[in-house]
């Protein structure tokens, strides 16, 4: 985040530190409203809006008006998300090198070798994630939340939230607001595919990606079915727990 910190000539040191925290909050929670950011950080709405405006001017975040969400008197709610430039400011400094190395591997050995490495990367990531989970939860929903928490510890800004609860379309959505290998995955989608296969294997259900940071979206969203009707890989223990998913 060197370019971001370099703006100290136009903002005080405390302002820069607060602005970094605001950017991180939008990254973790976006799309998110100014009031939610203020509540999360324990600051006034006026102070937060000043920092949000500054981040917008720097091109690190942007405003999106969400359909159906209102901010009062019929006005669409203003929600903030991190821009590709914002993700780039946060990303690791060795992304370009990693892409070059994998490109060299593809040139010398073949694309299959890149896929094999992506599978090994996903397997190593799984080992680290499992090590962060005390025990494997019984239900798909609980496993989704445990996976989300482990991903956060690994540097992926992740959340797991239920959708369509009580309906045949009931599911969990695992959202990742930051991916440490986003630039690599943009060039080599094998990494996204290997990660999704790893998620499916751990969760015990077939999952599908609704959006990816690598594909240009503001968040990676993985759809995880939890409904008995739409979960062909459900086991008997989950079935017996019914509504406790």
């Amino acid at each position: 985040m060197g370019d971001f910190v370099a703006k100290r000539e136009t903002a005080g040191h405390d302002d820069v530190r607060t602005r970094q925290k605001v950017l991180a909050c939008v990254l973790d929670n976006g799309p998110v409203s100014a009031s939610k950011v203020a509540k999360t950080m324990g600051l006034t709405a006026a102070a937060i809006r000043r920092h949000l405006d500054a981040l917008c001017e720097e091109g690190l975040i942007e405003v999106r008006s969400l359909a159906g969400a209102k901010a009062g008197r019929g006005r669409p709610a203003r929600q903030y998300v991190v821009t590709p430039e914002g993700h780039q400011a946060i990303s690791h400094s060795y992304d370009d090198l990693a892409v070059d190395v994998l490109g060299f591997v593809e040139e010398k050995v073949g694309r299959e070798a890149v896929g094999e490495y992506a599978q090994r990367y996903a397997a190593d990531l799984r080992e680290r994630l499992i090590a962060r989970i005390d025990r494997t939860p019984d239900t798909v929903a609980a496993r989704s939340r445990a996976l989300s928490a482990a991903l956060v510890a690994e540097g992926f800004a992740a959340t797991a939230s239920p959708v369509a609860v009580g309906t045949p379309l009931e599911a969990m959505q695992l959202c990742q607001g930051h991916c440490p290998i986003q630039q690599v995955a943009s060039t080599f989608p094998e990494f996204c595919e290997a990660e999704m296969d790893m998620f499916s294997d751990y969760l015990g259900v077939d999952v599908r990606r609704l959006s990816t940071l690598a594909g240009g979206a503001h968040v990676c969203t993985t759809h995880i079915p939890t409904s008995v009707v739409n979960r062909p890989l459900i086991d008997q223990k989950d079935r017996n727990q019914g509504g406790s998913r």
Side-chain angles (χ1 to χ4, degrees):
M1 207 178 291
D3 292 341
F4 181 69
V5 176
K7 298 196 178 284
R8 287 179 182 174
E9 65 271 13
T10 58
H13 179 68
D14 289 343
D15 269 0
V16 170
R17 292 185 62 188
T18 302
R19 206 155 294 166
Q20 288 176 328
K21 293 178 181 178
V22 171
L23 178 60
C25 185
V26 175
L27 178 69
D28 289 344
N29 299 285
V32 63
S33 65
S35 60
K36 175 69 179 295
V37 176
K39 183 177 180 181
T40 300
M41 297 189 60
L43 296 175
T44 66
I48 287 298
R49 286 193 179 91
R50 178 169 64 85
H51 290 297
L52 291 172
D53 288 344
L55 290 168
C56 283
E57 290 177 6
E58 293 168 16
L60 299 179
I61 65 173
E62 64 184 2
V63 178
R64 293 191 180 179
S65 297
L66 299 187
K70 302 297 181 182
R73 297 186 179 180
R75 292 182 290 109
R78 290 164 58 88
Q79 306 279 330
Y80 294 87
V81 297
V82 176
T83 64
E85 292 76 14
H87 283 288
Q88 185 62 36
I90 300 168
S91 67
H92 294 284
S93 59
Y94 293 108
D95 282 352
D96 289 338
L97 177 61
V99 171
D100 286 344
V101 169
L102 289 170
F104 181 81
V105 170
E106 178 183 10
E107 179 183 342
K108 295 297 183 180
V109 185
R111 188 78 179 204
E112 296 81 5
V114 175
E116 290 176 9
Y117 179 77
Q119 291 292 335
R120 189 174 78 176
Y121 167 83
D124 290 344
L125 175 59
R126 174 178 175 143
E127 287 187 9
R128 298 198 303 273
L129 294 174
I130 295 299
R132 295 182 182 278
I133 300 172
D134 292 336
R135 62 180 182 83
T136 301
D138 293 333
T139 66
V140 175
R143 288 197 291 273
S144 301
R145 295 187 180 97
L147 177 61
S148 171
L151 284 166
V152 169
E154 280 292 317
F156 298 76
T159 60
S161 305
V163 295
V165 176
T167 76
L169 299 179
E170 179 182 291
M172 295 291 289
Q173 284 194 350
L174 177 67
C175 296
Q176 297 161 255
H178 174 58
C179 173
I181 61 165
Q182 178 181 344
Q183 187 172 331
V184 173
S186 296
T187 306
F188 300 101
E190 289 91 339
F191 284 84
C192 285
E193 294 164 7
E195 182 186 78
M196 187 175 66
D197 289 344
M198 182 266 288
F199 287 172
S200 181
D201 184 57
Y202 168 73
L203 294 166
V205 294
D206 293 323
V207 304
R208 60 189 176 93
R209 277 273 162 76
L210 303 182
S211 64
T212 64
L213 288 161
H218 70 270
V219 65
C220 291
T221 303
T222 303
H223 182 83
I224 305 165
T226 58
S227 168
V228 173
V229 176
N230 288 293
R231 185 148 43 94
L233 299 185
I234 186 172
D235 58 30
Q236 190 62 41
K237 191 169 186 180
D238 276 348
R239 186 186 299 277
N240 291 339
Q241 296 209 5
S244 63
R245 292 185 296 273

